[in-house]
Amino acid sequence: MTSDADLSRLATDLARMFRDRNQQLVTAESCTGGWVGKVLTEIPGSSAWYLGGVVSYCNQLKSSLLDVQPATLAAHGAVSAETAREMAIGAISRLGGSCALSVTGIAGPDGGTADKPVGLVWFGWVLKRGAAIVEEVANERFAGDRDAIRRAAVARALQGMLDLAGRDG
């Protein structure tokens, strides 16, 4: 199980990298309910590299605040590669910054289906590189109760941002 110390270490590693590179991060969260932002803002001085985020639990807010297209939600659902990608792109477009991450999934205990089981979480990461934008999406299926799934999702979101941004430097 991912511990608070694990989350703190990941956030501290991100903070160091973003400070050293003068980059700023924004977030778009659904199933984690702002937990990524919480972990990031526990670091003193995080306002120098973390601009903030949007918690968009319902599809209406995903569309109105993060520019997720209603057609994307209708065709693929909120828990999909397409939605995670559009959430991250929408966050960087709407909130600014040079990097964005998104998280959307099914933390349970209910809401899962055969195609999208409880524990399925999609992630999106976006990095501005000059005029270009580098995008990456991935999914994981986490086991455990709601807290364990959400905690693991926060860790994966942070690690994914570290991995993508680290390849840029």
Side-chain angles (χ1 to χ4, degrees):
M1 176 145 176
T2 305
S3 69
D4 287 344
D6 295 329
L7 296 178
S8 179
R9 180 192 54 77
L10 288 166
T12 300
D13 290 349
L14 266 178
R16 186 176 306 111
M17 183 172 52
F18 287 139
R19 272 194 311 262
D20 291 349
R21 297 180 183 181
N22 198 30
Q23 292 177 311
Q24 294 179 312
L25 175 66
V26 294
T27 57
E29 299 183 67
S30 187
C31 67
T32 48
W35 200 339
V36 172
K38 174 192 178 298
V39 169
L40 296 175
T41 58
E42 286 177 346
I43 298 171
S46 58
S47 61
W49 53 269
Y50 179 59
L51 298 179
V54 169
V55 176
S56 57
Y57 216 61
C58 73
N59 288 349
Q60 180 183 355
L61 289 183
K62 285 177 179 67
S63 292
S64 65
L65 298 178
L66 297 169
D67 298 330
V68 175
Q69 297 303 302
T72 299
L73 293 164
H76 304 285
V79 181
S80 65
E82 295 82 2
T83 296
R85 177 186 171 276
E86 289 185 20
M87 286 173 66
I89 290 171
I92 212 165
S93 171
R94 287 298 206 67
L95 305 175
S98 52
C99 304
L101 69 81
S102 67
V103 185
T104 183
I106 304 167
D110 301 320
T113 66
D115 291 339
K116 295 182 181 182
V118 168
L120 176 64
V121 181
W122 277 95
F123 304 89
W125 299 279
V126 174
L127 173 68
K128 285 184 182 178
R129 186 183 290 154
I133 293 186
V134 178
E135 307 169 19
E136 194 169 294
V137 294
N139 73 61
E140 298 280 345
R141 176 137 184 238
F142 301 110
D145 63 11
R146 182 176 180 83
D147 186 69
I149 290 166
R150 293 173 73 216
R151 182 180 290 275
V154 171
R156 178 65 177 101
L158 296 174
Q159 185 63 60
M161 190 77 259
L162 274 166
D163 293 345
L164 179 62
R167 285 193 300 268
D168 187 54

